[in-house]
């Protein structure tokens, strides 16, 4: 009997759990999912919660009845320590977790495993930027459905003030010098702008994008080249055009250091320390690992064997430090397997990337200011499925050979950037990149396959985003033939 | 776009391309967008299929 434990129930963890239960006989094998909350949320739709177009209930559901139906044990707890070699009492690897539900809150428990999937995602490191905590004065976030719900409340307050004739400044973008997820902030600023204009309040509003990107349209993936209108142009033009069309201004190459109730303090690549006044800020925080510890069977700390300095888990990537010019897609992992303990996998955002995708930049004062590597829902889902497929193969054949691979240097990703809600008046930019990490050896001219890398604004993009919302929630809920919907 | 005149000359915002009325019409036209919806779905499916080993 195999005992498989999945830490985390986000896109990667839930996808892995779903395919594990489908591929393995639950009478013979045990699957356990451990997550601090019993809720699955479709994160891309947080944007619509943040502008009041959807309620949190429309983008989330309770996982417990589904896991009961699937024969998966669910433990509402957060992981704290990893013991990959076991200890005196438990001979297999185990994780120490702490319950987060009301009934057992604070109680610790050891959960043994034969195979472990660490899909704990990132820690939203708001603390790394002074004053950034959502709910703090005029600061909002759309990182979780709860944050997005608060963002909508704060946004309504600002709309009311504008209706009374008060001018308001909205600053949206990245809230840490090396933050990622520019795409989510980009969606939010476009939706905020859309909602302001829909109410005829644009004369009362100043909307500003602040970003750590070297150029707009970098999105943490070094930008992309797309063929459009007889030219092949960079996503810099694409993003800038979107903003100019809407009269949104921008501050680029900015590393936000601190916020108070009315000002954002940032440093730019020129080493200048500047301020930006605001009435509403939604800034994406830095991401980090969760600060997990790992111990061997003697109790010695082996955290560096499992985790990179960022706190994210080491996998089959090439972590050798090398200059940007020598980066290759071969640096990126394919199996998400920990090199020291092959029965531990880390798909999704939980794995430590070998380096960023965008070129690292440093200010004149030595502050790193650049976009970290993003890992959106589509790659995370694929990694979760591939991890499940590999474990199923290992369990069924006792052969540890990894058959299924998914490198971000080979797989593509689609991202629908919502820019306004409505089946007739809505709009979105459909963006695809293939591969996610540019492969300059295979595609020496543009870094990616120019036939499948694209960016297209229009109403159809909104329909696609809307369709994906319902399609992926259908799949996550395990409704009939869910497995026919790809990640 | 109607506010383009208020953009300060020689700022970053002065230079990027902006869509003309015909491009905006195409982006909003139901018939054109229905066609684009099918094309975009096809392109995304191609990427999805390639991404699964």
């Amino acid at each position: 009997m195999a005992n498989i434990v999945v830490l985390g129930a986000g896109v990667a963890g839930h996808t892995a759990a779903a395919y594990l239960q489908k591929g393995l006989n639950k009478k013979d094998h045990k699957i356990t999912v451990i997550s601090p909350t019993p809720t699955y949320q479709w994160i891309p739709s947080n944007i619509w919660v943040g502008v009041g177009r959807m309620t949190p209930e429309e983008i989330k559901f309770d996982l417990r009845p589904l896991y009961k139906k699937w024969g998966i044990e669910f433990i509402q707890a957060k992981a704290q320590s990893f013991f990959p070699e076991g200890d005196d009492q438990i001979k297999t690897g185990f994780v120490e977790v702490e319950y987060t539900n009301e009934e057992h809150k604070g109680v610790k428990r050891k959960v043994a495993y034969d195979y472990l999937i660490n899909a704990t995602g990132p820690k939203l490191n708001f603390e790394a930027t002074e004053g950034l905590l959502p709910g703090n004065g005029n600061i909002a976030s759309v990182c979780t459905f709860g944050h997005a719900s608060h963002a909508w409340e704060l946004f309504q307050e600002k709309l009311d003030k504008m209706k009374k004739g008060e001018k308001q400044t909205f600053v949206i973008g990245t809230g840490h010098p090396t933050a990622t997820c520019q795409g989510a902030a980009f969606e939010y600023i476009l939706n905020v702008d859309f909602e302001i204009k829909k109410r005829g309040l644009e004369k009362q509003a100043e909307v500003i994008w602040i970003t750590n990107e070297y150029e707009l349209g970098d999105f943490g993936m070094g930008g992309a080249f797309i063929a459009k209108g007889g030219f092949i142009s960079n996503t810099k033009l694409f993003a800038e055009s979107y903003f100019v069309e809407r009269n949104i201004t921008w501050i680029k190459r900015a590393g936000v250091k601190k916020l108070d109730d009315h000002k954002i303090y940032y440093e730019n690549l020129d080493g200048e320390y500047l301020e930006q006044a605001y009435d509403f800020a939604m800034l994406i925080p830095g991401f980090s690992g969760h600060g997990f510890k790992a111990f061997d069977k003697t109790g010695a700390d082996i955290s560096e064997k499992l985790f990179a300095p960022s706190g994210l888990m080491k996998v089959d990537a090439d972590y050798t430090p090398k200059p940007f010019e020598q980066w290759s897609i071969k640096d990126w992992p394919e199996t998400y397997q920990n090199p020291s303990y092959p029965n531990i996998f880390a798909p999704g955002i939980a794995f430590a990337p070998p380096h960023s995708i965008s070129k690292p930049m440093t200010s004149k004062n030595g502050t790193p200011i650049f976009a970290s590597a993003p890992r959106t829902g589509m790659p995370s889902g694929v990694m979760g499925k591939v991890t499940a497929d590999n474990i199923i193969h290992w369990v069924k054949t006792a052969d540890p050979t990894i058959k299924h691979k998914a490198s971000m240097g080979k797989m593509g990703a689609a991202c629908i950037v919502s820019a306004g809600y409505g089946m007739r008046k809505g709009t979105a930019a459909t963006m695809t990149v293939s591969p996610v990490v540019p492969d300059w050896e295979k595609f020496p001219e543009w870094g990616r396959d120019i036939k499948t890398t694209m960016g297209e604004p229009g109403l159809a993009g909104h329909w696609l985003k809307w369709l994906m919302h319902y399609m992926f929630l259908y799949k996550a809920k395990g409704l009939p033939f869910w497995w026919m919907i790809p990640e | 776009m109607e506010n383009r005149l208020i953009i300060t000359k020689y700022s970053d915002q002065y230079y990027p391309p902006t869509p003309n009325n015909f491009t905006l019409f195409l982006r909003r036209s139901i018939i054109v967008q229905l066609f684009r919806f099918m094309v975009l779905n096809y392109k995304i499916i191609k990427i999805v299929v390639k991404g699964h080993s």
Side-chain angles (χ1 to χ4, degrees), chain A residues 276-397:
Chain A
Q276 172 60 54
Y278 77 98
D279 298 297
F280 176 101
M282 197 301 289
L283 305 179
I284 302 284
F287 288 176
S288 71
H290 293 269
F292 297 134
K293 289 283 180 191
F295 302 94
D296 69 9
K297 58 188 167 193
T298 68
D301 191 325
I302 53 162
S303 301
E304 83 288 348
K305 268 175 107 171
L306 258 72
F307 303 105
S310 62
L312 296 166
M313 185 167 264
K314 285 183 183 173
V315 292
D316 60 316
D318 181 355
Y319 294 107
T320 314
K322 53 180 99 166
F324 174 74
E325 291 70 24
Q326 290 174 23
W327 289 358
S328 157
I329 60 157
K330 296 183 189 80
D331 302 342
W332 287 80
E334 293 183 316
T335 66
Y336 306 94
Q337 197 175 26
N338 180 262
S340 303
Y341 299 97
N343 60 339
I344 300 179
F345 298 81
I349 304 179
F351 84 81
H355 41 66
S356 60
I357 303 173
S358 303
K359 185 175 181 178
M361 301 279 181
T362 307
S363 79
K364 287 179 179 170
N365 307 314
T367 308
I369 302 175
F370 62 94
S372 297
R375 273 151 290 170
T376 58
M378 188 171 162
S380 294
V382 173
M383 290 175 211
K385 180 177 188 298
V386 161
T387 302
D389 288 343
N390 284 325
I391 292 175
I392 291 166
H393 174 261
W394 192 343
V395 169
K396 283 185 172 174
T397 64

Side-chain angles (χ1 to χ4, degrees), chain A residues 240-241 244-245 247 249-250 252 378 382 405 412 424 430 432 434 452 454 456-460 464 486-487, chain B residues 1 3-4 6 12-13 16-19 24 27 30 33-34 36-37 40-41 43 47-48 50-53:
Chain A
E240 288 182 347
S241 176
V244 169
E245 182 190 342
N247 202 27
T249 55
W250 61 85
K252 62 187 178 184
M378 188 171 162
V382 173
K405 295 177 180 176
R424 293 286 303 275
T430 306
T432 60
S434 180
T452 47
M454 61 165 186
E456 181 171 324
L459 178 58
L464 263 173
E487 284 61 51
Chain B
M1 199 160 64
N3 295 314
R4 188 156 179 82
I6 67 168
D12 281 350
Q13 286 78 15
T18 47
L24 290 174
R27 289 182 187 177
I30 300 283
Q33 291 300 311
L34 273 171
R36 295 310 301 166
F37 180 72
L40 293 171
N41 270 299
K43 288 191 172 186
I47 284 185
V48 167
K50 268 173 71 183
H52 290 61
S53 67

Side-chain angles (χ1 to χ4, degrees), chain A residues 13-72:
Chain A
H14 182 59
T15 303
Y19 283 102
L20 283 168
Q21 66 83 27
K22 181 174 179 292
L24 292 173
N25 185 338
K26 272 103 56 183
K27 285 180 189 159
D28 298 331
H29 308 290
K30 186 180 175 194
I31 303 163
T32 306
V33 174
I34 301 171
S35 176
T37 60
T39 310
Y40 180 86
Q41 60 171 327
W42 178 241
I43 290 175
S45 297
N46 281 352
I47 301 301
W48 288 338
V49 175
V51 291
R53 291 290 177 168
M54 280 192 174
T55 63
E57 284 64 38
E58 287 175 276
I59 69 162
K60 67 184 177 83
F61 67 92
D62 191 337
L63 284 164
R64 289 169 293 192
L66 175 63
Y67 284 165
K68 192 175 177 188
K69 187 177 98 180
W70 277 350
I72 293 175

